[in-house]
Amino acid sequence: MSTSFERFQKRKLITSYFSVVLSIGLVLFLLGILGLLVLNTKKLADHFKEQITISVFLKDSAKEIEIDQLQKSLAMAPYTKNATYVSKEEAAEKHSEEIGENFLDFLGYNPLKNSIDVKLNAAYVETDSIANIAKEISTKGYVEEVSYDQPLITLLNDNVKKLSFWILIASGAFTFIAVLLINSSIRLSIYSKRFIIKTMQMVGATKSFIRRPFLWTNIKLGMLGAILALIALGVVLYYVDQSFPELNLFQDPTFLILLFIGVFSLGVLISLISTFFATQRFLNLRTDDLYY
């Protein structure tokens, strides 16, 4: 009978530990995902900004040497990510593919212009900066028009600012929730041992002596939960990098290393602090209060 009771207690203990590790792992994983989003907010914003295109339409009278010089000067400009020359024939072919029919047969001529498509570096995708760039390019005598989507640029910048703000708010709120959830799991685990704590205290054990094994056990559980969270986070990172290679998530490993260290340290730190205060609470309770 004693053996059955010991097995039951052992299973109960393992279940308790498993629930603590699982809760810590899940919370830290979600916190890691949010941290990854925070660290890559600027990179995501820059990626979308660099899709903005300025189209420089050229006059039919523009000489080939003038076009080459303009393309090279634009390509070398500090605000340019890349500059691509698009002939009127290429533009017509692309437009025909988009509308599903050859409009040249209907019109009988090609109304499109030769152009240079300029993609800007993210730092220059601002309303004022683009206006100045367009004004500068327009001074060329062989440039007929400089076109870009100004409302889209304004909308993009406004949304990036709003997104950054709300991500910071969400990060703070979720970090607070994560601390509460991990703290609750550890407190429930220690609650089941409150009579053991009080018994040890009644036979003369010091608070630090009683607290020590609980601290060490829950630190190890926090470490294990953090390791599980980091493994899951690594899998997600690999999948996202394979699906969206343009984000270059592994280009700067420093941020990822700091994120992993932060998640691991947070798991250990929250476990340590939560265990300390949970054991302290039961150590300070009177014996009669343990039943409530």
Side-chain angles (χ1 to χ4, degrees), residues 219-243:
I219 285 174
K220 288 191 289 186
L221 294 178
M223 292 170 66
L224 184 57
I227 290 171
L228 291 176
L230 293 178
I231 291 173
L233 193 60
V235 172
V236 171
L237 275 170
Y238 176 79
Y239 174 77
V240 173
D241 185 65
Q242 292 295 311
S243 302

Short mmCIF file of all heavy atoms in Angstrom, two decimals, residues 219-243:
data_model
loop_
_atom_site.label_atom_id
_atom_site.label_comp_id
_atom_site.label_asym_id
_atom_site.label_seq_id
_atom_site.Cartn_x
_atom_site.Cartn_y
_atom_site.Cartn_z
N ILE A 219 14.06 26.95 -10.33
CA ILE A 219 15.01 27.53 -11.28
C ILE A 219 15.30 26.54 -12.39
O ILE A 219 15.35 26.89 -13.58
CB ILE A 219 16.32 27.94 -10.55
CG1 ILE A 219 16.10 29.21 -9.74
CG2 ILE A 219 17.44 28.17 -11.56
CD1 ILE A 219 17.27 29.60 -8.88
N LYS A 220 15.47 25.26 -12.02
CA LYS A 220 15.71 24.22 -13.04
C LYS A 220 14.48 24.06 -13.94
O LYS A 220 14.62 23.88 -15.15
CB LYS A 220 16.05 22.89 -12.36
CG LYS A 220 17.43 22.87 -11.73
CD LYS A 220 17.85 21.47 -11.31
CE LYS A 220 17.06 21.00 -10.12
NZ LYS A 220 17.55 19.68 -9.62
N LEU A 221 13.27 24.16 -13.35
CA LEU A 221 12.05 24.08 -14.17
C LEU A 221 11.96 25.28 -15.11
O LEU A 221 11.55 25.15 -16.26
CB LEU A 221 10.82 24.02 -13.26
CG LEU A 221 10.67 22.77 -12.40
CD1 LEU A 221 9.43 22.87 -11.53
CD2 LEU A 221 10.62 21.51 -13.25
N GLY A 222 12.35 26.46 -14.60
CA GLY A 222 12.36 27.65 -15.44
C GLY A 222 13.35 27.52 -16.58
O GLY A 222 13.07 27.93 -17.72
N MET A 223 14.52 26.95 -16.30
CA MET A 223 15.53 26.73 -17.34
C MET A 223 15.02 25.75 -18.39
O MET A 223 15.20 25.97 -19.59
CB MET A 223 16.82 26.22 -16.71
CG MET A 223 17.53 27.25 -15.84
SD MET A 223 18.90 26.55 -14.87
CE MET A 223 20.03 26.09 -16.19
N LEU A 224 14.37 24.68 -17.93
CA LEU A 224 13.84 23.68 -18.86
C LEU A 224 12.74 24.28 -19.72
O LEU A 224 12.70 24.07 -20.95
CB LEU A 224 13.31 22.48 -18.07
CG LEU A 224 12.81 21.29 -18.90
CD1 LEU A 224 13.91 20.77 -19.82
CD2 LEU A 224 12.31 20.17 -17.98
N GLY A 225 11.83 25.06 -19.09
CA GLY A 225 10.77 25.72 -19.86
C GLY A 225 11.35 26.70 -20.87
O GLY A 225 10.86 26.79 -22.01
N ALA A 226 12.41 27.42 -20.47
CA ALA A 226 13.05 28.37 -21.37
C ALA A 226 13.71 27.65 -22.56
O ALA A 226 13.64 28.13 -23.69
CB ALA A 226 14.10 29.19 -20.62
N ILE A 227 14.32 26.51 -22.30
CA ILE A 227 14.96 25.73 -23.38
C ILE A 227 13.92 25.25 -24.38
O ILE A 227 14.11 25.32 -25.60
CB ILE A 227 15.75 24.54 -22.79
CG1 ILE A 227 16.99 25.06 -22.05
CG2 ILE A 227 16.18 23.57 -23.89
CD1 ILE A 227 17.72 24.00 -21.25
N LEU A 228 12.78 24.76 -23.87
CA LEU A 228 11.70 24.33 -24.76
C LEU A 228 11.19 25.50 -25.60
O LEU A 228 10.92 25.36 -26.80
CB LEU A 228 10.55 23.74 -23.94
CG LEU A 228 10.82 22.40 -23.24
CD1 LEU A 228 9.62 22.00 -22.39
CD2 LEU A 228 11.13 21.31 -24.25
N ALA A 229 11.05 26.68 -24.95
CA ALA A 229 10.59 27.87 -25.67
C ALA A 229 11.58 28.27 -26.76
O ALA A 229 11.18 28.64 -27.87
CB ALA A 229 10.39 29.02 -24.69
N LEU A 230 12.87 28.18 -26.46
CA LEU A 230 13.89 28.56 -27.43
C LEU A 230 13.95 27.59 -28.60
O LEU A 230 14.19 28.00 -29.74
CB LEU A 230 15.26 28.64 -26.74
CG LEU A 230 15.42 29.76 -25.71
CD1 LEU A 230 16.80 29.71 -25.07
CD2 LEU A 230 15.18 31.12 -26.34
N ILE A 231 13.74 26.31 -28.33
CA ILE A 231 13.70 25.32 -29.42
C ILE A 231 12.54 25.64 -30.37
O ILE A 231 12.69 25.66 -31.60
CB ILE A 231 13.57 23.90 -28.86
CG1 ILE A 231 14.86 23.50 -28.14
CG2 ILE A 231 13.27 22.90 -29.98
CD1 ILE A 231 14.77 22.18 -27.40
N ALA A 232 11.35 25.89 -29.78
CA ALA A 232 10.18 26.23 -30.59
C ALA A 232 10.41 27.54 -31.34
O ALA A 232 10.04 27.67 -32.52
CB ALA A 232 8.94 26.34 -29.70
N LEU A 233 11.04 28.50 -30.68
CA LEU A 233 11.33 29.78 -31.32
C LEU A 233 12.31 29.62 -32.48
O LEU A 233 12.16 30.24 -33.53
CB LEU A 233 11.91 30.74 -30.28
CG LEU A 233 12.00 32.22 -30.66
CD1 LEU A 233 10.61 32.78 -30.97
CD2 LEU A 233 12.63 33.01 -29.51
N GLY A 234 13.30 28.74 -32.30
CA GLY A 234 14.25 28.46 -33.37
C GLY A 234 13.58 27.84 -34.59
O GLY A 234 13.91 28.19 -35.73
N VAL A 235 12.63 26.93 -34.35
CA VAL A 235 11.88 26.31 -35.45
C VAL A 235 11.08 27.36 -36.22
O VAL A 235 11.06 27.37 -37.45
CB VAL A 235 10.95 25.20 -34.90
CG1 VAL A 235 10.03 24.68 -36.01
CG2 VAL A 235 11.77 24.06 -34.31
N VAL A 236 10.41 28.25 -35.48
CA VAL A 236 9.63 29.31 -36.12
C VAL A 236 10.53 30.24 -36.93
O VAL A 236 10.20 30.63 -38.06
CB VAL A 236 8.84 30.11 -35.06
CG1 VAL A 236 8.20 31.36 -35.67
CG2 VAL A 236 7.78 29.24 -34.43
N LEU A 237 11.68 30.60 -36.36
CA LEU A 237 12.64 31.46 -37.07
C LEU A 237 13.09 30.82 -38.37
O LEU A 237 13.15 31.49 -39.41
CB LEU A 237 13.85 31.73 -36.17
CG LEU A 237 13.74 32.88 -35.18
CD1 LEU A 237 14.92 32.87 -34.22
CD2 LEU A 237 13.69 34.21 -35.91
N TYR A 238 13.40 29.54 -38.32
CA TYR A 238 13.86 28.83 -39.51
C TYR A 238 12.76 28.81 -40.58
O TYR A 238 13.02 29.06 -41.76
CB TYR A 238 14.27 27.40 -39.16
CG TYR A 238 14.67 26.57 -40.35
CD1 TYR A 238 15.94 26.71 -40.92
CD2 TYR A 238 13.79 25.64 -40.90
CE1 TYR A 238 16.31 25.96 -42.02
CE2 TYR A 238 14.15 24.89 -42.00
CZ TYR A 238 15.41 25.04 -42.55
OH TYR A 238 15.77 24.29 -43.66
N TYR A 239 11.53 28.54 -40.15
CA TYR A 239 10.41 28.48 -41.09
C TYR A 239 10.16 29.84 -41.74
O TYR A 239 9.97 29.94 -42.95
CB TYR A 239 9.14 28.00 -40.36
CG TYR A 239 7.90 28.04 -41.22
CD1 TYR A 239 7.67 27.06 -42.19
CD2 TYR A 239 6.97 29.07 -41.09
CE1 TYR A 239 6.54 27.10 -42.99
CE2 TYR A 239 5.84 29.11 -41.89
CZ TYR A 239 5.64 28.12 -42.84
OH TYR A 239 4.52 28.17 -43.62
N VAL A 240 10.17 30.91 -40.91
CA VAL A 240 9.94 32.26 -41.43
C VAL A 240 11.05 32.67 -42.39
O VAL A 240 10.81 33.27 -43.44
CB VAL A 240 9.81 33.28 -40.27
CG1 VAL A 240 9.76 34.71 -40.81
CG2 VAL A 240 8.58 32.99 -39.44
N ASP A 241 12.30 32.30 -42.05
CA ASP A 241 13.43 32.65 -42.91
C ASP A 241 13.35 31.92 -44.25
O ASP A 241 13.70 32.48 -45.28
CB ASP A 241 14.74 32.30 -42.21
CG ASP A 241 15.96 32.75 -43.00
OD1 ASP A 241 16.14 33.97 -43.17
OD2 ASP A 241 16.72 31.87 -43.46
N GLN A 242 12.87 30.67 -44.22
CA GLN A 242 12.72 29.93 -45.46
C GLN A 242 11.57 30.47 -46.31
O GLN A 242 11.65 30.50 -47.54
CB GLN A 242 12.46 28.45 -45.15
CG GLN A 242 13.64 27.73 -44.52
CD GLN A 242 14.84 27.64 -45.45
OE1 GLN A 242 14.71 27.25 -46.61
NE2 GLN A 242 16.01 28.00 -44.95
N SER A 243 10.51 30.94 -45.65
CA SER A 243 9.34 31.44 -46.37
C SER A 243 9.54 32.87 -46.86
O SER A 243 9.02 33.25 -47.92
CB SER A 243 8.10 31.38 -45.46
OG SER A 243 7.87 30.06 -45.02
#
